[in-house]
Amino acid sequence: MRNEWLRSDRLPHIYCAGCGNGTIMNCVLEAITQTGWDRTRTVFLSGIGCSSRAPGYIMTDSLHTTHGRAIAFATGVKMADPSLHVVVFTGDGDLAAIGGNHFIHGCRRNIDITVVCMNNHIYGMTGGQGSPTTPLGKTSTTTPYGAEEAPFDLVELAIAAGANYVARWTSYHVKQLTDAVYDGLLTPGFSLIEVRCQCPTSYGRRNKYREPTDYMTYLKTNAILKRKWEEMERSGENISPDSFPVGEFVRRSRPVMGVPDEA
Amino acid sequence: MKLEIDESRCKGCNLCTLVCPYKIYRPGSRPNRKGIYVPEMDRPERCPNCRLQELYGRRLCGMCALICPDQAIKWVPEKPYEPMKVVIEY
Ligand SMILES: Cc1ncc(C[n+]2csc(CCOP(=O)(O)OP(=O)(O)O)c2C)c(N)n1
Ligand code: SF4
């Protein structure tokens, strides 16, 4: 049961009402209970941000590291003891902005860790500044007239850099997300699961998704399964600029690092 | 099994009202002691997990508990267990 993995004495957590981070935490814990891993052999790491508070609510060893450096610390933990299971929680700013280089080199080395990126499109904790994943035209505190820079596609980035397992889901697709995290945990090598989620306080409020349920409805209608997306592209159907593909993008076996020998 | 919302954890985001296939949750109408509108439950005994979990020996559905960002929804065992008649409209 995933309740055994929670530090119940620290709940309720600091997340705002309706924040997607809590949902993602549930799904990751559910997937981990399915693997049957030992709590004393599992380590959670995170950088800085709202999303990075998650390991603090989980009853295992954890490292709350400096901003953007979670993957660097995770590489250290995994190389020191490859038999440990290492999971990283990170935000979009944490992973793609300040930690961008650690991220691509983590993928290149294909170190055996699982990274769950809670992508809420902004810097939530510091008050909603634009991040490298803010979609074109969306408002944030640093893009009051709408973002003009094209955002990063984290999935494409991870694939190009060489990760072994890459998937994208949203905080609405809880069952699929749980399955994807489960697959990511069991795939040797670097696994990235990007999760688009709502931040009603800093992103929703400025972008006409005031209630958490509004953004959920957006996710539900605009997340298109990868197969359908490819079909639509092939047939030249016009795809709304708000839509994005979800699903499993890559599962392969490039040479890996940090996998225990006897495996 | 009985569905329960932990009022000390719920922050009133209403995400559960969106996902339950039986529409068991409804947005709350009265604030609690902390000023939070905790969702109300409409005939929670219709939940398949309440009725059939013992029979199947595993968790069924469970969407609301999985999506609840505040880990506030849970099933508590009922004792003594009383079978009851449930009418389900389609
Ligand atoms: C080296 C350093 N630079 C900047 C900050 C300030 N800071 C704290 S949280 C944060 C943003 C985190 O955003 P993100 O990773 O997107 O997570 P979210 O809060 O959105 O979940 C920043 C810039 C910091 N703590 N350390
Ligand atoms: S500021 Fe945004 S990301 Fe941070 S806890 Fe609130 S809703 Fe979640």
Side-chain angles (χ1 to χ4, degrees):
Chain A
M1 275 296 291
R2 63 173 185 273
N3 275 345
E4 288 160 19
W5 288 70
L6 285 170
R7 283 180 205 268
S8 307
D9 53 322
R10 307 225 26 212
L11 295 172
H13 46 53
I14 59 150
Y15 299 143
C16 309
C19 175
N21 295 351
T23 306
I24 298 167
M25 219 165 84
N26 284 347
C27 296
V28 172
L29 289 183
E30 181 71 26
I32 287 202
T33 46
Q34 284 173 18
T35 60
W37 286 354
D38 183 356
R39 236 182 312 168
T40 58
R41 305 299 298 163
T42 309
V43 185
F44 286 88
L45 293 99
S46 65
I48 298 291
C50 295
S51 40
S52 301
R53 298 284 303 223
Y57 302 107
I58 301 175
M59 191 77 105
T60 62
D61 287 336
S62 61
L63 284 169
H64 193 179
T65 72
T66 43
H67 196 24
R69 270 60 186 171
I71 291 179
F73 280 81
T75 309
V77 171
K78 192 72 190 174
M79 291 318 285
D81 185 351
S83 69
L84 290 174
H85 305 297
V86 181
V87 183
V88 176
F89 282 114
T90 176
D92 50 315
D94 204 41
L95 185 78
I98 191 166
N101 244 319
H102 295 298
F103 172 45
I104 55 176
H105 288 285
C107 295
R108 174 182 64 84
R109 293 183 180 127
N110 223 347
I111 177 94
D112 184 22
I113 59 177
T114 303
V115 178
V116 179
C117 176
M118 309 182 183
N119 181 358
N120 51 14
H121 309 292
I122 37 97
Y123 290 170
M125 182 166 266
T126 43
Q129 292 84 358
S131 83
T133 56
T134 309
L136 278 174
K138 294 294 183 201
T139 7
S140 66
T141 19
T142 47
T143 58
Y145 306 110
E148 286 183 359
E149 306 160 10
F152 256 145
D153 186 328
L154 297 179
V155 162
E156 302 271 326
L157 191 61
I159 296 173
N164 253 0
Y165 181 89
V166 184
R168 177 197 283 134
W169 286 105
T170 75
S171 54
Y172 178 77
H173 301 89
V174 280
K175 291 267 164 164
Q176 294 92 329
L177 173 59
T178 307
D179 292 344
V181 175
Y182 179 80
D183 290 343
L185 293 170
L186 294 188
T187 309
F190 195 98
S191 315
L192 173 80
I193 295 101
E194 180 199 345
V195 195
R196 301 252 169 132
C197 67
Q198 72 277 27
C199 167
T201 307
S202 296
Y203 183 77
R205 194 156 51 93
R206 299 195 176 85
N207 290 290
K208 304 201 183 85
Y209 304 114
R210 187 166 279 274
E211 296 297 326
T213 41
D214 296 343
Y215 200 68
M216 279 294 183
T217 318
Y218 158 79
L219 289 176
K220 185 172 148 187
T221 44
N222 284 284
I224 299 177
L225 279 181
K226 179 170 164 274
R227 185 137 44 87
K228 172 105 185 290
W229 179 273
E230 281 163 359
E231 242 168 56
M232 285 166 84
E233 269 183 339
R234 231 177 295 122
S235 65
E237 218 174 302
N238 68 325
I239 303 173
S240 147
D242 280 344
S243 300
F244 55 92
V246 293
E248 179 186 309
F249 287 80
V250 148
R251 190 197 297 232
R252 58 189 168 191
S253 36
R254 282 182 67 247
V256 294
M257 221 175 112
V259 176
D261 296 333
E262 83 285 344
Chain B
M1 289 282 182
K2 196 165 130 237
L3 257 183
E4 210 175 79
I5 301 182
D6 185 344
E7 294 220 2
S8 68
R9 288 188 185 173
C10 177
K11 292 177 188 158
C13 66
N14 284 336
L15 291 185
C16 47
T17 62
L18 208 66
V19 295
C20 177
Y22 289 85
K23 302 259 182 299
I24 283 175
Y25 304 90
R26 273 191 310 218
S29 54
R30 216 174 296 124
N32 69 1
R33 201 167 38 83
K34 290 198 285 181
I36 288 167
Y37 289 79
V38 176
E40 287 160 6
M41 285 194 277
D42 172 22
R43 290 166 288 155
E45 62 279 5
R46 289 179 299 150
C47 165
N49 205 36
C50 295
R51 287 181 285 123
L52 303 172
Q53 191 181 40
E54 320 241 295
L55 187 67
Y56 283 74
R58 63 181 167 87
R59 155 121 359 139
L60 300 153
C61 185
M63 290 294 281
C64 53
L66 209 50
I67 207 157
C68 177
D70 298 295
Q71 293 83 33
I73 298 177
K74 57 173 183 268
W75 287 271
V76 288
E78 264 180 314
K79 263 184 198 152
Y81 172 69
E82 275 180 30
M84 51 185 136
K85 196 164 183 327
V86 180
V87 182
I88 296 168
E89 64 273 31
Y90 294 97

